[in-house]
Amino acid sequence: MGAVRKQQIQPGIARWRFALVAALLCLLALALVYHLARLQVLPEAERGYRFLQDQGRARTIRTEEIAAYRGAIVDRNGELLAVSTPVHSLWANPQLLREASADELRRLAAALELKPAVLAKRLEKYRNKEFMYLRRHLSPEQANRVLGLDTAGVYSKKEYRRFYPAGEVVAQLLGFTNIDDRGQEGLELAYNDWLSGQPGAQQVVKDLKGRTVQDLATQREARPGRDLRLSIDMRLQYLAYRELKRAVTENGAASGFMVILDTKSGDVLAMANQPSFNPNNRSGVAAAAMRNRALIDQFEPGSTVKPLTALAALESGRYQPHTPINTSPGYIRVPGKTLVDPVNYGQLDLTSVITKSSQVGITKVALDLEPNALRELFYRLGLGETVGSGFPGEAAGILPSRSRWHPIERANFAFGYGLTVNGVQLAQAYSVLANAGLKRPVSLVLSGDNSAGKSAAASERVVEAPLAEQVTAMLETVIGRGTGKLAAVEGFRVAGKTGTVHKVGSDGYADNRYRSVFAGFIPADRPRLAAVVVIDDPSHAKYYGGEVAAPVFGAVMAGAMRLLQVPPAEVAPAEQQLAAQLNERGTKS
């Protein structure tokens, strides 16, 4: 009987337990399904699939900047002057890199060509940061050598580095960019907004070590910068640079510059400076070598403005090219100073005053003119105001204006003291003479090539054509039989004027320090180029403008006529005699 009861009880207990366990398992399965549904399906669930996706993206998806290409700078013929090349910059997350072993850090420092102590010091400095640069602007080979170590926390980003193919030949005009490819000096700074591109952005997936494993989408395309076409002709630039460097070296000068203008368009075709520097490697470069002296430096132009004084005399109506002027006895006393000529020239006409560069003659002319007439003419020719090149730091010069002029001030003003100009201003003034009185705007960028260039303004008549032509004829005599013989170019008529300017010292004008100047244009009968050469502080035996600066003009213009394929004029007997004088020495100014 007991056995029968036992058999009846056991099945009842098993069913109850089975039902309970089955129910619990079903509930657990349902709960799991519900939880998975909340995580994967239901959009509004708290901490649901959207939350999880956002958290996953936050840990793996990053937005990276796409570097933009900076616009190139080219000369008027399309020759590259500045171009950006792709490079790699290595950076690190210091908090991850600090976890690397000492051996890994030693290998990393060796690959980076750093001392381990330097790397350790940098890690300590940025220990609370998540970003620091390791090395900037490496070649792909150099970057891959470091990345090949697979060090946690070390990454690479693409950047661009500026390269200047012409090197020091046009360095001061172009300027340079900093390590972030932003303009710092010269035209790189002036046109930085034009040249700079707009960086793009893209989303990428990165692994736990920060390595990119997938490119997801481009959010914004990188927009490259716009190219800039300059008015410079590199053929003339190389020529001017070579001859200028030779003159500065041979004369032991402190510095020098040369500017060449296209008389018909106002374009700057060359702008060379000495000393110069290599913009591709600026370590140890003196700040003075980076200065574009042709536009930034101001100087007293000396005798190169005597032809402009003669022009003012012609405008007054009281003088003609052959008006006689008595320079005897070779000096003139002006209240405050006695002005002298090298010799007593005696009776000269106005043309011969310019030919001989007579201090006495030009002083007598100046004292006979209305005091403000000369100042007003200088201003019309472009002195006393910037040429509008847009170059950073361009000097306006000093053109004094007085209600009352003392006689010595009027005299000094007439032969180029008491006012200052920059080299381009002086070249523009001579370009007005070359253009028969028409003044054209000066430009460093080709007008019409792009909107960054200054639009060409209409020419302005500032001098009557017959008067400008008369002064041009005077300037030709300076080359033929005056102080500028060494500026002559065989087969071409040249117009120009020399200048030898005393430099200012601590106690006034120094007796043994000079600035040698030449300004002129060629061909005189059909002008194509106007140029100014300035050699500062020559220290050897020669220092006159006719000896130091004029030969640079002659050598450069001879080459320029060939390069521009300007045909020579028929050589008249007088010009044949002029060509024979090219090797003469000892010309004074």
Side-chain angles (χ1 to χ4, degrees):
M1 179 112 182
V4 173
R5 275 182 194 168
K6 186 175 182 180
Q7 290 178 355
Q8 291 176 344
I9 292 173
Q10 285 178 348
I13 296 174
R15 285 194 299 271
W16 176 81
R17 288 179 177 176
F18 176 79
L20 178 61
V21 171
L24 290 175
L25 290 175
C26 288
L27 288 175
L28 183 61
L30 290 174
L32 180 60
V33 170
Y34 174 73
H35 184 63
L36 290 174
R38 289 182 71 252
L39 294 179
Q40 302 290 340
V41 180
L42 300 178
E44 304 302 327
E46 182 180 358
R47 295 179 179 273
Y49 76 89
R50 287 180 178 171
F51 169 78
L52 295 176
Q53 287 180 346
D54 291 342
Q55 290 297 308
R57 292 192 186 101
R59 287 164 171 77
T60 60
I61 297 178
R62 296 289 184 267
T63 299
E64 290 188 336
E65 181 180 280
I66 303 174
Y69 178 83
R70 186 175 178 88
I73 302 178
V74 299
D75 82 336
R76 66 188 305 112
N77 299 313
E79 181 176 343
L80 275 175
L81 304 180
V83 61
S84 292
T85 57
V87 291
H88 293 269
S89 290
L90 299 179
W91 64 279
N93 183 336
Q95 297 183 17
L96 294 177
L97 190 55
R98 284 167 59 87
E99 298 176 0
S101 66
D103 186 54
E104 287 179 315
L105 291 178
R106 279 195 300 271
R107 290 199 303 269
L108 177 62
L112 292 170
E113 299 179 356
L114 296 175
K115 294 182 179 180
V118 173
L119 178 60
K121 185 177 180 180
R122 193 179 299 177
L123 283 173
E124 180 63 23
K125 179 180 179 180
Y126 292 93
R127 64 182 182 278
N128 295 323
K129 307 291 183 180
E130 294 186 356
F131 179 93
M132 76 172 191
Y133 278 114
L134 294 173
R135 284 284 302 275
R136 303 286 299 272
H137 295 180
L138 298 177
S139 67
E141 295 77 13
Q142 292 173 313
N144 290 334
R145 187 168 61 248
V146 178
L147 296 174
L149 299 176
D150 201 25
T151 306
V154 176
Y155 316 109
S156 172
K157 62 182 295 189
K158 182 180 179 180
E159 293 184 321
Y160 288 95
R161 180 184 179 184
R162 207 63 162 164
F163 178 67
Y164 302 93
E168 62 181 37
V169 175
V170 70
Q172 292 87 352
L173 177 60
L174 296 182
F176 52 85
T177 61
N178 62 10
I179 197 168
D180 294 315
D181 216 19
R182 307 291 293 179
Q184 298 297 290
E185 293 286 348
L187 294 179
E188 290 276 28
L189 173 60
Y191 289 96
N192 185 68
D193 291 342
W194 177 268
L195 293 165
S196 295
Q198 180 66 41
Q202 66 176 357
Q203 283 190 333
V204 298
V205 177
K206 294 195 172 186
D207 63 12
L208 292 177
K209 292 187 176 183
R211 295 172 299 194
T212 299
V213 296
Q214 182 183 359
D215 293 332
L216 292 182
T218 299
Q219 295 179 319
R220 183 179 66 252
E221 293 285 351
R223 190 191 70 192
R226 292 164 287 188
D227 294 344
L228 186 68
R229 185 179 293 270
L230 303 186
S231 62
I232 297 296
D233 187 328
M234 282 305 294
R235 299 173 300 169
L236 301 186
Q237 181 73 18
Y238 279 114
L239 184 59
Y241 180 83
R242 183 190 68 194
E243 295 300 328
L244 179 69
K245 186 174 183 178
R246 177 183 300 166
V248 169
T249 302
E250 289 180 353
N251 292 284
S255 63
F257 65 82
M258 183 175 188
V259 178
I260 303 177
L261 297 184
D262 185 322
T263 59
K264 300 304 180 185
S265 66
D267 288 343
V268 178
L269 297 181
M271 186 176 287
N273 287 267
Q274 274 294 312
S276 191
F277 69 100
N278 182 3
N280 298 305
N281 181 10
R282 300 190 299 275
S283 58
V285 175
M290 300 181 183
R291 192 167 72 244
N292 187 358
R293 300 173 185 276
L295 277 167
I296 295 176
D297 284 11
Q298 304 179 62
F299 61 96
E300 291 178 306
S303 296
T304 55
V305 301
K306 287 179 180 177
L308 309 185
T309 303
L311 177 58
L314 295 175
E315 282 191 335
S316 72
R318 297 199 296 274
Y319 289 85
Q320 297 296 323
H322 300 296
T323 299
I325 301 168
N326 186 9
T327 67
S328 293
Y331 62 87
I332 182 173
R333 291 188 177 91
V334 180
K337 193 171 184 181
T338 299
L339 305 172
V340 300
D341 283 337
V343 297
N344 181 5
Y345 293 123
Q347 190 83 358
L348 297 175
D349 59 17
L350 183 59
T351 297
S352 296
V353 167
I354 301 302
T355 306
K356 302 291 186 181
S357 197
S358 170
Q359 210 87 318
V360 175
I362 207 70
T363 298
K364 285 191 171 184
V365 172
L367 295 178
D368 189 47
L369 297 176
E370 196 280 322
N372 282 312
L374 191 55
R375 196 264 177 199
E376 191 271 336
L377 173 64
F378 285 179
Y379 185 76
R380 273 187 280 140
L381 294 174
L383 308 186
E385 61 179 353
T386 64
V387 297
S389 68
F391 193 88
E394 178 191 341
I398 299 174
L399 190 63
S401 178
R402 298 182 174 88
S403 58
R404 182 185 179 194
W405 292 79
H406 295 290
I408 189 60
E409 292 176 328
R410 294 166 64 184
N412 286 339
F413 206 62
F415 51 76
Y417 287 86
L419 72 155
T420 62
V421 301
N422 68 43
V424 179
Q425 287 175 324
L426 187 57
Q428 185 183 42
Y430 271 71
S431 183
V432 172
L433 299 177
N435 286 321
L438 289 176
K439 180 183 176 184
R440 292 188 170 91
V442 172
S443 180
L444 292 168
V445 176
L446 280 186
S447 301
D449 186 71
N450 52 54
S451 60
K454 184 178 63 177
S455 61
S459 299
E460 175 189 5
R461 177 160 296 283
V462 296
V463 176
E464 293 301 319
L467 302 183
E469 290 167 358
Q470 288 175 356
V471 175
T472 296
M474 295 179 186
L475 292 173
E476 285 192 77
T477 68
V478 176
I479 308 302
R481 58 180 185 271
T483 60
K485 296 184 181 73
L486 296 181
V489 178
E490 185 175 2
F492 293 89
R493 292 168 58 183
V494 178
K497 183 68 184 74
T498 61
T500 307
V501 187
H502 285 274
K503 295 190 65 176
V504 177
S506 57
D507 299 319
Y509 288 102
D511 293 331
N512 58 350
R513 297 187 64 195
Y514 303 91
R515 183 176 284 111
S516 305
V517 188
F518 183 88
F521 49 91
I522 184 175
D525 53 333
R526 45 202 165 91
R528 180 71 182 273
L529 303 177
V532 167
V533 179
V534 176
I535 306 296
D536 186 38
D537 215 4
S539 61
H540 295 167
K542 297 184 294 186
Y543 58 87
Y544 289 105
E547 298 175 312
V548 177
V552 178
F553 178 94
V556 172
M557 290 302 138
M561 293 298 98
R562 290 192 298 271
L563 289 171
L564 298 179
Q565 298 181 348
V566 178
E570 286 190 19
V571 182
E575 290 173 314
Q576 291 176 346
Q577 181 181 2
L578 173 59
Q581 296 171 335
L582 283 172
N583 294 324
E584 288 187 23
R585 295 294 184 266
T587 300
K588 307 295 185 183
S589 169

